[in-house]
Amino acid sequence: MKTKITILGSGTSQGIPVIGSTHPVCLSDDPRDKRLRVSAMIETEGIRFIIDVGPDFRQQMLTNKVTEIDAVLFTHEHADHTAGLDDLRPFYFRQGDLDCYMTHRVHLALQQRFSYMFETVNKYPGVATLDVHEFDKDEFEVKGIRVIPVLADHGYIPVHGFRINDVAYMTDVKTITDKELKKLENLDILVINMLRHEPHNTHLNLDEALELINKISPQRTYFTHISHHLGFHAEVEPTLPDNVYLAYDNLEITT
Protein backbone atom coordinates (compact mmCIF):
# COMPACT_ATOMS: atom_id res chain seq x y z
CA MET A 1 0.00 0.00 0.00
CA LYS A 2 1.60 3.25 -1.13
CA THR A 3 2.21 5.72 1.67
CA LYS A 4 3.85 9.15 1.55
CA ILE A 5 5.20 11.11 4.50
CA THR A 6 6.09 14.77 4.15
CA ILE A 7 8.36 16.36 6.73
CA LEU A 8 6.61 19.66 7.45
CA GLY A 9 9.15 20.70 10.04
CA SER A 10 12.34 19.05 11.29
CA GLY A 11 13.59 21.44 13.98
CA THR A 12 13.52 21.67 17.74
CA SER A 13 11.21 23.77 19.91
CA GLN A 14 13.06 26.97 18.99
CA GLY A 15 13.43 26.20 15.31
CA ILE A 16 16.54 26.94 13.26
CA PRO A 17 17.77 29.62 13.03
CA VAL A 18 17.26 30.34 16.72
CA ILE A 19 16.21 33.94 17.32
CA GLY A 20 19.29 36.11 17.83
CA SER A 21 21.77 33.23 17.51
CA THR A 22 25.14 33.69 15.82
CA HIS A 23 25.84 29.95 15.78
CA PRO A 24 27.28 29.01 12.34
CA VAL A 25 24.40 26.62 11.58
CA CYS A 26 21.88 29.37 12.33
CA LEU A 27 23.72 31.56 9.79
CA SER A 28 23.86 28.82 7.14
CA ASP A 29 22.61 29.52 3.61
CA ASP A 30 21.79 25.84 3.04
CA PRO A 31 17.96 25.58 3.06
CA ARG A 32 18.27 22.16 4.70
CA ASP A 33 19.69 23.92 7.78
CA LYS A 34 16.57 26.08 8.16
CA ARG A 35 14.17 24.02 10.24
CA LEU A 36 10.61 24.83 11.31
CA ARG A 37 9.11 23.22 14.39
CA VAL A 38 8.66 19.47 14.08
CA SER A 39 5.58 18.14 12.29
CA ALA A 40 4.66 15.68 9.53
CA MET A 41 1.94 14.75 7.06
CA ILE A 42 1.13 11.16 6.10
CA GLU A 43 -1.01 10.36 3.05
CA THR A 44 -2.36 6.96 2.03
CA GLU A 45 -5.42 5.74 0.11
CA GLY A 46 -6.54 9.36 -0.37
CA ILE A 47 -6.56 10.03 3.39
CA ARG A 48 -4.36 12.82 4.77
CA PHE A 49 -3.10 12.86 8.36
CA ILE A 50 -1.35 15.81 10.03
CA ILE A 51 0.83 14.94 13.01
CA ASP A 52 0.99 17.88 15.44
CA VAL A 53 0.13 21.51 14.79
CA GLY A 54 3.01 23.57 16.13
CA PRO A 55 3.61 27.32 15.95
CA ASP A 56 4.71 27.06 12.29
CA PHE A 57 1.59 25.15 11.19
CA ARG A 58 0.15 27.97 9.05
CA GLN A 59 3.40 28.42 7.15
CA GLN A 60 3.75 24.66 6.66
CA MET A 61 0.25 24.35 5.20
CA LEU A 62 0.82 27.26 2.81
CA THR A 63 4.22 25.96 1.68
CA ASN A 64 2.84 22.50 0.93
CA LYS A 65 -0.42 23.85 -0.57
CA VAL A 66 -2.59 21.77 1.76
CA THR A 67 -6.29 22.63 1.38
CA GLU A 68 -7.95 19.70 3.15
CA ILE A 69 -7.07 17.34 5.99
CA ASP A 70 -8.83 14.23 7.25
CA ALA A 71 -7.41 13.94 10.76
CA VAL A 72 -4.94 15.50 13.16
CA LEU A 73 -2.87 13.21 15.38
CA PHE A 74 -1.23 14.63 18.50
CA THR A 75 1.96 13.19 19.94
CA HIS A 76 1.81 15.20 23.18
CA GLU A 77 0.86 18.59 24.56
CA HIS A 78 4.07 20.64 24.42
CA ALA A 79 3.78 24.05 22.76
CA ASP A 80 6.03 23.24 19.79
CA HIS A 81 3.49 20.53 18.89
CA THR A 82 0.21 22.31 19.67
CA ALA A 83 0.64 26.10 19.55
CA GLY A 84 -0.80 26.33 16.02
CA LEU A 85 -4.15 24.85 17.06
CA ASP A 86 -6.06 28.04 16.25
CA ASP A 87 -4.79 27.91 12.66
CA LEU A 88 -7.02 24.92 12.03
CA ARG A 89 -9.79 27.50 11.43
CA PRO A 90 -9.51 27.66 7.62
CA PHE A 91 -9.95 23.89 7.43
CA TYR A 92 -12.92 24.08 9.80
CA PHE A 93 -14.55 26.80 7.70
CA ARG A 94 -14.31 24.58 4.61
CA GLN A 95 -14.82 21.12 6.10
CA GLY A 96 -16.73 21.51 9.37
CA ASP A 97 -15.75 19.85 12.65
CA LEU A 98 -12.22 18.46 12.51
CA ASP A 99 -11.33 14.96 13.69
CA CYS A 100 -8.49 15.16 16.21
CA TYR A 101 -6.94 12.15 17.94
CA MET A 102 -5.15 12.49 21.29
CA THR A 103 -4.84 10.96 24.73
CA HIS A 104 -7.02 12.09 27.63
CA ARG A 105 -4.06 13.93 29.16
CA VAL A 106 -3.41 15.90 25.98
CA HIS A 107 -7.12 16.68 25.69
CA LEU A 108 -7.16 18.16 29.20
CA ALA A 109 -4.06 20.24 28.47
CA LEU A 110 -5.56 21.68 25.27
CA GLN A 111 -8.83 22.43 27.03
CA GLN A 112 -6.90 24.49 29.55
CA ARG A 113 -4.60 26.24 27.09
CA PHE A 114 -7.22 26.85 24.38
CA SER A 115 -10.32 27.07 26.56
CA TYR A 116 -12.14 29.33 24.08
CA MET A 117 -12.05 26.53 21.48
CA PHE A 118 -13.85 24.13 23.79
CA GLU A 119 -16.63 26.43 25.02
CA THR A 120 -20.11 24.95 24.73
CA VAL A 121 -22.07 28.11 25.60
CA ASN A 122 -21.77 31.40 23.69
CA LYS A 123 -18.79 30.12 21.75
CA TYR A 124 -17.29 32.69 19.42
CA PRO A 125 -18.48 31.76 15.90
CA GLY A 126 -15.06 32.18 14.24
CA VAL A 127 -13.39 29.50 16.35
CA ALA A 128 -12.75 26.00 15.01
CA THR A 129 -14.69 23.12 16.50
CA LEU A 130 -12.67 19.98 17.12
CA ASP A 131 -14.21 16.52 17.14
CA VAL A 132 -11.89 15.01 19.73
CA HIS A 133 -11.31 11.25 19.79
CA GLU A 134 -9.35 10.07 22.82
CA PHE A 135 -7.30 6.95 22.16
CA ASP A 136 -6.27 4.60 24.93
CA LYS A 137 -5.77 1.35 23.03
CA ASP A 138 -3.31 -0.27 20.67
CA GLU A 139 -4.97 0.87 17.45
CA PHE A 140 -7.88 2.78 15.94
CA GLU A 141 -9.24 3.48 12.47
CA VAL A 142 -9.65 6.73 10.58
CA LYS A 143 -11.83 6.37 7.48
CA GLY A 144 -10.77 2.77 7.09
CA ILE A 145 -7.05 3.41 7.69
CA ARG A 146 -5.48 1.57 10.62
CA VAL A 147 -3.46 3.79 12.97
CA ILE A 148 -1.22 2.23 15.62
CA PRO A 149 -0.15 4.56 18.47
CA VAL A 150 3.32 3.74 19.79
CA LEU A 151 3.98 4.78 23.39
CA ALA A 152 7.37 6.18 24.35
CA ASP A 153 8.88 8.20 27.19
CA HIS A 154 9.86 11.86 26.77
CA GLY A 155 11.90 11.93 29.97
CA TYR A 156 9.14 13.42 32.14
CA ILE A 157 5.92 12.65 30.29
CA PRO A 158 4.63 9.94 27.94
CA VAL A 159 4.53 10.67 24.22
CA HIS A 160 3.00 8.80 21.30
CA GLY A 161 4.27 8.14 17.83
CA PHE A 162 2.13 6.62 15.10
CA ARG A 163 2.47 3.78 12.65
CA ILE A 164 0.38 3.88 9.45
CA ASN A 165 0.98 0.95 7.11
CA ASP A 166 4.76 0.44 7.00
CA VAL A 167 5.63 4.02 7.96
CA ALA A 168 6.18 5.17 11.55
CA TYR A 169 6.70 8.66 12.91
CA MET A 170 8.21 9.07 16.38
CA THR A 171 9.31 12.33 17.96
CA ASP A 172 10.45 13.56 21.38
CA VAL A 173 11.46 10.03 22.33
CA LYS A 174 13.98 9.37 25.08
CA THR A 175 13.23 5.69 25.78
CA ILE A 176 10.80 3.06 24.52
CA THR A 177 9.94 -0.34 25.96
CA ASP A 178 10.49 -3.65 24.19
CA LYS A 179 6.72 -4.16 24.11
CA GLU A 180 6.20 -0.95 22.14
CA LEU A 181 9.18 -1.69 19.90
CA LYS A 182 7.32 -4.74 18.61
CA LYS A 183 4.81 -2.35 16.99
CA LEU A 184 7.70 -1.05 14.87
CA GLU A 185 8.74 -4.33 13.33
CA ASN A 186 9.07 -4.67 9.54
CA LEU A 187 9.00 -0.96 8.78
CA ASP A 188 9.83 0.50 5.39
CA ILE A 189 10.31 4.01 6.80
CA LEU A 190 11.02 5.22 10.33
CA VAL A 191 11.12 8.92 11.13
CA ILE A 192 12.49 9.51 14.62
CA ASN A 193 13.95 12.34 16.68
CA MET A 194 17.68 12.81 17.08
CA LEU A 195 18.71 16.05 18.75
CA ARG A 196 22.50 16.32 18.75
CA HIS A 197 25.75 14.47 19.54
CA GLU A 198 25.75 15.27 23.27
CA PRO A 199 23.39 13.48 25.67
CA HIS A 200 20.10 15.15 26.57
CA ASN A 201 17.71 14.29 29.39
CA THR A 202 14.52 14.20 27.29
CA HIS A 203 15.61 13.43 23.72
CA LEU A 204 17.67 10.81 21.92
CA ASN A 205 21.16 11.86 20.94
CA LEU A 206 22.91 10.39 17.91
CA ASP A 207 24.39 7.34 19.63
CA GLU A 208 21.11 6.49 21.36
CA ALA A 209 19.12 6.93 18.16
CA LEU A 210 21.48 4.66 16.19
CA GLU A 211 21.26 2.02 18.91
CA LEU A 212 17.47 2.14 18.74
CA ILE A 213 17.52 1.88 14.95
CA ASN A 214 19.62 -1.27 15.21
CA LYS A 215 16.88 -2.80 17.36
CA ILE A 216 14.04 -1.78 15.03
CA SER A 217 15.86 -2.48 11.72
CA PRO A 218 13.71 -0.39 9.37
CA GLN A 219 14.53 -0.28 5.66
CA ARG A 220 15.18 3.47 5.88
CA THR A 221 15.43 5.92 8.77
CA TYR A 222 15.16 9.71 8.74
CA PHE A 223 16.12 11.82 11.73
CA THR A 224 13.98 14.79 12.75
CA HIS A 225 13.70 17.23 15.71
CA ILE A 226 17.27 18.28 14.98
CA SER A 227 19.18 20.96 16.89
CA HIS A 228 21.61 23.41 15.35
CA HIS A 229 24.18 21.92 17.74
CA LEU A 230 24.25 18.76 15.60
CA GLY A 231 26.10 20.65 12.87
CA PHE A 232 25.60 21.40 9.18
CA HIS A 233 23.32 19.07 7.25
CA ALA A 234 25.87 18.74 4.43
CA GLU A 235 28.62 17.69 6.85
CA VAL A 236 26.63 15.39 9.15
CA GLU A 237 24.64 13.31 6.67
CA PRO A 238 27.69 11.68 4.95
CA THR A 239 28.82 10.39 8.36
CA LEU A 240 25.62 8.41 8.98
CA PRO A 241 25.28 4.66 8.36
CA ASP A 242 23.76 3.34 5.14
CA ASN A 243 20.01 3.94 4.86
CA VAL A 244 20.05 6.52 7.66
CA TYR A 245 19.46 10.14 6.67
CA LEU A 246 18.80 13.58 8.07
CA ALA A 247 15.29 14.77 7.30
CA TYR A 248 14.75 18.37 6.26
CA ASP A 249 11.73 20.59 5.82
CA ASN A 250 9.40 19.68 2.93
CA LEU A 251 11.17 16.38 2.26
CA GLU A 252 8.76 13.86 0.71
CA ILE A 253 9.38 10.16 1.35
CA THR A 254 7.32 7.47 -0.38
CA THR A 255 7.10 3.73 0.16
Side-chain angles (χ1 to χ4, degrees):
M1 189 178 298
K2 185 176 180 181
T3 307
K4 181 172 78 170
I5 180 167
T6 302
I7 305 301
L8 301 174
S10 58
T12 59
S13 57
Q14 296 184 86
I16 302 173
V18 175
I19 295 171
S21 174
T22 58
H23 188 282
V25 173
C26 290
L27 302 178
S28 170
D29 291 327
D30 187 337
R32 296 173 300 178
D33 289 326
K34 300 182 187 304
R35 303 181 183 276
L36 299 180
R37 265 61 73 92
V38 66
S39 179
M41 176 169 64
I42 297 180
E43 299 167 276
T44 185
E45 298 293 300
I47 305 301
R48 178 178 287 139
F49 299 86
I50 301 294
I51 305 180
D52 289 337
V53 289
D56 300 316
F57 175 69
R58 175 181 176 274
Q59 183 177 347
Q60 291 162 341
M61 294 297 95
L62 289 171
T63 298
N64 289 277
K65 297 179 171 58
V66 179
T67 59
E68 185 173 341
I69 57 180
D70 293 288
V72 183
L73 311 177
F74 288 89
T75 61
H76 63 301
E77 66 269 34
H78 284 168
D80 54 324
H81 300 260
T82 61
L85 199 68
D86 194 65
D87 285 322
L88 287 169
R89 284 186 297 161
F91 297 101
Y92 168 68
F93 294 153
R94 285 193 297 271
Q95 300 176 219
D97 296 5
L98 296 167
D99 289 314
C100 296
Y101 294 79
M102 63 191 75
T103 63
H104 180 66
R105 190 195 74 252
V106 173
H107 191 186
L108 291 178
L110 295 185
Q111 285 178 314
Q112 181 179 32
R113 195 174 307 154
F114 298 91
S115 57
Y116 63 94
M117 295 185 70
F118 295 90
E119 292 287 350
T120 56
V121 179
N122 296 323
K123 182 178 178 180
Y124 183 70
V127 175
T129 297
L130 310 182
D131 188 0
V132 174
H133 308 268
E134 294 185 1
F135 63 81
D136 59 358
K137 51 189 177 181
D138 288 338
E139 62 181 76
F140 55 87
E141 281 197 2
V142 178
K143 297 186 176 180
I145 303 299
R146 183 185 184 210
V147 179
I148 302 175
V150 183
L151 177 64
D153 186 80
H154 187 14
Y156 299 101
I157 63 168
V159 61
H160 281 87
F162 301 96
R163 177 174 183 160
I164 297 175
N165 300 332
D166 292 329
V167 173
Y169 178 87
M170 306 288 299
T171 188
D172 291 50
V173 173
K174 179 60 179 179
T175 59
I176 183 169
T177 66
D178 289 341
K179 176 185 176 182
E180 294 299 304
L181 282 176
K182 290 185 180 298
K183 298 178 182 178
L184 300 174
E185 292 178 348
N186 302 312
L187 283 176
D188 286 340
I189 296 169
L190 171 65
V191 179
I192 193 165
N193 61 291
M194 186 277 294
L195 190 69
R196 61 191 191 191
H197 296 284
E198 299 79 17
H200 190 273
N201 60 352
T202 61
H203 289 276
L204 295 167
N205 70 352
L206 179 57
D207 289 341
E208 292 166 335
L210 291 175
E211 182 179 351
L212 193 56
I213 290 167
N214 285 335
K215 290 183 179 180
I216 299 171
S217 297
Q219 294 297 313
R220 288 179 283 164
T221 300
Y222 294 82
F223 288 137
T224 192
H225 204 293
I226 296 167
S227 166
H228 57 292
H229 293 296
L230 180 69
F232 295 103
H233 187 290
E235 294 180 0
V236 174
E237 181 154 282
T239 70
L240 299 176
D242 290 344
N243 300 320
V244 178
Y245 310 92
L246 296 183
Y248 54 86
D249 291 11
N250 308 311
L251 172 66
E252 296 182 355
I253 312 160
T254 303
T255 59

